[in-house]
Amino acid sequence: MSEGTWEKLSQVAVKGAQYDSRERQPHPKCLKGTRVDLLNVIYGLLDKQEKNQIVWLHGTAGVGKSAVAFTVAERMRHLKVTEGSKEKRLAGTFFFSRKHTKRRTTGYFFATLAYQLGSNFPSIRSDVNKAIIENPALLTRLFVTTWRRCFSDLFGTFNSGCANARL
């Protein structure tokens, strides 16, 4: 694997979009005993082992999306893919923000998630790297359609190796 390619991806990835980023401090999270029903629904979806889940929270400003997302991400980060595994169940996160240029659009979304997937799951890091070597344009934010195709291929590999991980 070419470390140079991985280094280039790490430069394109938006570190501030991760759930536990210093850029996002203080981290909003649900207070104990709040949003229990919503959290239980989301946890129920994510605990289904027969298929991977993507949870997309949406709503108007100020309703608590970031607090819910952080709380869920924190829980998933502490769970293992399988018993005895070192890999965590959280595959990646991207927190959008109107205040930050690279986090206000989807331009860096796929590159950031690809970087997180490769970082969190060494078993697919070489596949991410190979995709970039085969198509260096993936390192530019303009190729969202190409990233989508790349993710379809990566998820085939990812699903076979990490069936219980959650994005």
Side-chain angles (χ1 to χ4, degrees):
M1 171 170 53
S2 169
E3 287 302 320
T5 303
W6 188 255
E7 178 61 31
K8 287 177 186 174
L9 179 60
S10 79
Q11 292 170 4
V12 173
V14 182
K15 311 301 186 303
Q18 286 184 225
Y19 89 98
D20 58 353
S21 159
R22 287 184 184 167
E23 187 177 291
R24 297 186 54 258
Q25 287 182 344
H27 299 125
K29 57 183 166 185
C30 297
L31 298 174
K32 189 171 183 131
T34 63
R35 298 184 178 101
V36 173
D37 291 340
L38 175 59
L39 290 170
N40 285 337
V41 167
I42 294 170
Y43 296 153
L45 287 171
L46 297 177
D47 288 339
K48 289 183 181 178
Q49 294 187 7
E50 52 274 0
K51 60 182 174 177
N52 287 332
Q53 300 288 328
I54 294 177
V55 175
W56 189 285
L57 295 175
H58 60 90
T60 58
V63 297
K65 298 177 300 293
S66 293
V68 170
F70 179 85
T71 302
V72 170
E74 195 169 53
R75 177 180 184 262
M76 297 308 289
R77 184 66 176 178
H78 294 290
L79 297 176
K80 306 286 188 193
V81 171
T82 57
E83 198 64 39
S85 170
K86 290 183 180 181
E87 293 179 328
K88 309 288 188 206
R89 284 181 57 188
L90 182 66
T93 58
F94 192 100
F95 281 76
F96 288 92
S97 171
R98 288 187 305 263
K99 297 177 191 175
H100 298 90
T101 306
K102 291 182 177 182
R103 290 174 44 209
R104 73 171 61 140
T105 69
T106 58
Y108 295 91
F109 178 77
F110 289 102
T112 300
L113 286 182
Y115 177 74
Q116 290 180 31
L117 283 168
S119 296
N120 293 332
F121 297 91
S123 59
I124 67 157
R125 185 171 172 171
S126 62
D127 292 322
V128 171
N129 195 62
K130 180 181 174 201
I132 294 168
I133 289 170
E134 290 174 0
N135 188 354
L138 290 172
L139 290 172
T140 68
R141 66 183 202 93
L142 302 174
F143 289 87
V144 173
T145 304
T146 307
W147 268 115
R148 285 184 184 141
R149 273 188 244 122
C150 176
F151 262 76
S152 295
D153 295 342
L154 284 175
F155 276 119
T157 302
F158 184 68
N159 286 339
S160 65
C162 305
N164 294 326
R166 304 292 186 251
L167 178 67

